[in-house]
Amino acid sequence: MSTIITRFPPSPTGYLHVGGARTALFNWFYARHTQGRFVLRIEDTDTVRSTQASADAIFDALKWLGVDWDEGPYFQTQRFHIYTEYVQKLIDAGHAYYCTCSPEEVEAMRRHAMATGGKPKYDGTCREKGLSKCDHAVVRFRAPRTGTTVIHDVVKGDIVFQNAEQDDFIIQRSDGTPTYNFVVVVDDISMGINTIIRGDDHVNNTPRQIMMYRALGAELPVFAHVPMVLGKDKTRLSKRHGAMSVTAYRDMGFLPEAMINYLVRLGWSYGDQEFFTREDLIEKFTLEHIGRSAGVFDMDKLLALNADHIKATPPRLLTPHLMPFLKERGYPAEEGDYLDQVILTLNARSKTLIEMADQARFYYVETVEYDPAAAEKNLKPESLDPLRLLIQHLESLTDFTIAGLEKIFLTVMEATGLKLGKIAQPVRVALTGKTASPGIFEIIEILGKGAVVRRLQQAVDYIETHVAS
RNA sequence: GUCCCCAUCGUCUAGCCCGGUCCAGGACAUCGGCCUUUCACGCCGACGACAGGGGUUCAAAUCCCCUUGGGGACGCCA
């Protein structure tokens, strides 16, 4: 095949949810993998529910994911003249007709069909009436009533539908606006889309669209229907499953690379490989490895992948993602060597950027506040001696490196007869306020002599005034 | 109700197309252990699945059928 052209066509009726994001990713990666083109199209023909705010939210989410587009965004509401033209073309060719049946009448037909054990559908009352344009008339597509329509789906194989199951669907509403199954085909044809990757909730629409391609005399695109993403309870993802908006994950401290990795890996595989960078995916993503069954969205796995990507991302690349969380907490952080070191001590201890920012607190705060339990357990009179000794040695230390620091601690250990653990924990609490933190020597080196001495002295004062015998 | 799709550990999946190498491999989670100045990381180990039933075959997770279960679609929404 020549150049692959894919598209992502969200309707701007809400934020971009994880299922939609995965579809966008599949299309984008496939286009990039094949060095094809990726088109963004906003399906806003439902003028009542569509909003600019939603469209902006979708752009924002795609931008965060790093999904860019070669064409668009096209807005269907700006293409109405094209659809009107095509409707007329279809009517003239006898592939569509006006229908004046009211919604109530059609509803009655559906109920009747359902009651007699059939599929609810329009019965074709106006199909042969040869009605002409008039107020409140809709335009229906004259669908074939016999034979079969088959989808040659790349992921599911051939799917056969009896044409008798279909009905004459509406392509233009009584208010003159066109409907989905019609515009999607017109747009895909006119935009040259030759590969359609979408959720498998669309398979039932596909035979109608294929009929439309035929009526319009256009070549069929390749269809790839990917399975749905389900919630923990194996039902379709919805608000009650918690965060669905892609940007909500950004706000929860996830890296776009982790999100991409997780979403693409959900429903697609490449042998046993679990960790993928964006470049890996561009290189390896093909339609052949898309699975056939629906997958459950698993936050734990996303979290694990996020931790992996945080670990794998160099400080300078992580900084822009972490910075908003640092600022949010009021820390005077800025890109540079200090932050690089901070990140290096925290990246193996953080599943999210929020966790990382929270743990970075002691690096930026002027005076540390002690966790009550930590202070009670570790800041006791018996720690006074080692703490004071440490301050003494630290002040005269010229070799302020981990090696030099180790030497000092050894000296203090010998002088007091205490084991490292007995000394390190009080120091840890003095420096960070907590019992859990990065390595004690690393912290001291990064914080610097001044801050360390100050905090150790603060701990000494604390013990003397609060706990002293 | 009708139509369509799906079915391997709790979850994501490899294997299935081209039966034997699978008493089924990896990852997440869980549980142990090791490492260790704390917490993590890392490493090692444990637990844990071919939905059920019929065929076909010397041989089936792999092919066929049925059942069951799950999902989706039936709009003047997309």
Side-chain angles (χ1 to χ4, degrees), chain A residues 389-436:
Chain A
L389 262 176
L390 214 47
I391 292 172
Q392 268 179 41
H393 286 96
L394 237 24
E395 281 177 324
S396 56
L397 181 66
T398 48
D399 179 22
F400 203 77
T401 63
I402 288 190
L405 292 168
E406 276 174 343
K407 219 172 285 173
I408 285 183
F409 271 74
L410 267 171
T411 311
V412 175
M413 282 162 71
E414 276 167 27
T416 59
L418 293 169
K419 292 206 289 187
L420 182 53
K422 286 288 176 194
I423 301 173
Q425 278 312 78
V427 172
R428 191 185 309 284
V429 174
L431 299 181
T432 72
K434 297 178 166 49
T435 51

Side-chain angles (χ1 to χ4, degrees), chain A residues 264-376:
Chain A
V264 174
R265 197 38 250 278
L266 177 58
W268 174 84
S269 61
Y270 191 79
D272 283 338
Q273 188 172 341
E274 300 282 352
F275 184 92
F276 296 87
T277 60
R278 182 187 305 272
E279 289 65 37
D280 285 335
L281 258 9
I282 290 175
E283 182 192 325
K284 293 165 176 167
F285 186 80
T286 65
L287 271 24
E288 289 138 61
H289 299 288
I290 294 178
R292 302 144 308 273
S293 49
V296 174
F297 188 88
D298 181 13
M299 184 65 125
D300 284 335
K301 186 129 185 182
L302 208 209
L303 236 16
L305 233 23
N306 200 45
D308 288 344
H309 276 93
I310 285 176
K311 263 174 284 188
T313 306
R316 286 300 162 98
L317 293 181
L318 196 71
T319 297
H321 292 107
L322 177 64
M323 199 55 86
F325 297 100
L326 260 17
K327 293 298 180 199
E328 195 176 86
R329 286 161 179 70
Y331 306 154
E334 50 189 63
E335 181 180 76
D337 294 342
Y338 187 78
L339 180 53
D340 288 353
Q341 296 188 77
V342 168
I343 289 173
L344 255 11
T345 63
L346 261 22
N347 64 175
R349 288 166 236 269
S350 317
K351 284 191 188 306
T352 68
L353 297 174
I354 285 188
E355 285 183 14
M356 186 178 276
D358 285 341
Q359 295 183 89
R361 180 175 183 79
F362 74 89
Y363 281 120
Y364 288 105
V365 102
E366 194 51 44
T367 45
V368 297
E369 47 288 298
Y370 302 135
D371 170 73
E376 187 181 349

Side-chain angles (χ1 to χ4, degrees), chain A residues 71-302:
Chain A
E71 258 181 65
Y74 292 111
F75 286 81
Q76 293 184 322
T77 45
Q78 288 167 209
R79 296 165 56 83
F80 275 7
H81 59 285
I82 299 174
Y83 309 133
T84 309
E85 193 180 303
Y86 272 87
V87 168
Q88 196 53 51
K89 212 182 278 186
L90 251 15
I91 291 174
D92 293 346
H95 282 124
Y97 59 89
Y98 286 104
C99 166
T100 52
C101 294
S102 68
E104 295 70 30
E105 289 170 319
V106 176
E107 183 47 40
M109 292 174 202
R110 291 206 179 92
R111 272 199 305 272
H112 179 259
M114 191 98 87
T116 49
K119 196 169 187 171
K121 56 185 191 180
Y122 173 65
D123 68 3
T125 299
C126 299
R127 185 174 164 109
E128 307 302 341
K129 284 186 181 169
L131 266 25
S132 50
K133 186 172 185 171
C134 64
D135 277 356
H136 304 303
V138 299
V139 177
R140 286 182 183 275
F141 178 70
R142 188 192 304 274
R145 288 181 148 172
T146 57
T148 59
T149 296
V150 19
I151 308 174
H152 299 293
D153 193 282
V154 243
V155 349
K156 294 178 185 290
D158 285 0
I159 305 172
V160 182
F161 291 86
Q162 295 299 318
N163 289 342
E165 289 291 328
Q166 308 296 329
D167 66 353
D168 291 347
F169 58 97
I170 291 173
I171 61 175
Q172 186 177 79
R173 302 183 182 95
S174 52
D175 67 359
T177 56
T179 62
Y180 171 72
N181 280 114
F182 169 63
V183 295
V184 73
V185 175
V186 170
D187 281 345
D188 285 338
I189 290 173
S190 60
M191 293 175 190
I193 307 301
N194 53 27
T195 307
I196 295 178
I197 304 168
R198 69 205 335 181
D200 71 7
D201 50 338
H202 281 286
V203 302
N204 292 284
N205 284 321
T206 310
R208 293 179 158 186
Q209 293 170 15
I210 288 176
M211 290 171 177
M212 188 66 66
Y213 275 93
R214 298 232 164 92
L216 259 16
E219 200 176 316
L220 289 179
V222 167
F223 289 104
H225 286 100
V226 322
M228 306 265 80
V229 177
L230 308 176
K232 196 90 187 152
D233 57 0
K234 296 210 169 197
T235 65
R236 193 177 190 155
L237 223 40
S238 67
K239 310 97 235 152
R240 68 200 160 75
H241 289 107
M244 283 192 58
S245 159
V246 168
T247 45
Y249 289 88
R250 171 187 62 195
D251 301 339
M252 286 188 278
F254 286 89
L255 245 24
E257 292 262 324
M259 198 68 199
I260 288 169
N261 189 161
Y262 178 71
L263 251 19
V264 174
R265 197 38 250 278
L266 177 58
W268 174 84
S269 61
Y270 191 79
D272 283 338
Q273 188 172 341
E274 300 282 352
F275 184 92
F276 296 87
T277 60
R278 182 187 305 272
E279 289 65 37
D280 285 335
L281 258 9
I282 290 175
E283 182 192 325
K284 293 165 176 167
F285 186 80
T286 65
L287 271 24
E288 289 138 61
H289 299 288
I290 294 178
R292 302 144 308 273
S293 49
V296 174
F297 188 88
D298 181 13
M299 184 65 125
D300 284 335
K301 186 129 185 182
L302 208 209

Side-chain angles (χ1 to χ4, degrees), chain A residues 43-62:
Chain A
E43 309 222 325
D44 55 353
T45 54
D46 182 346
T47 52
V48 178
R49 295 195 301 158
S50 298
T51 65
Q52 182 60 43
S54 291
D56 290 340
I58 291 168
F59 297 149
D60 184 38
L62 289 175

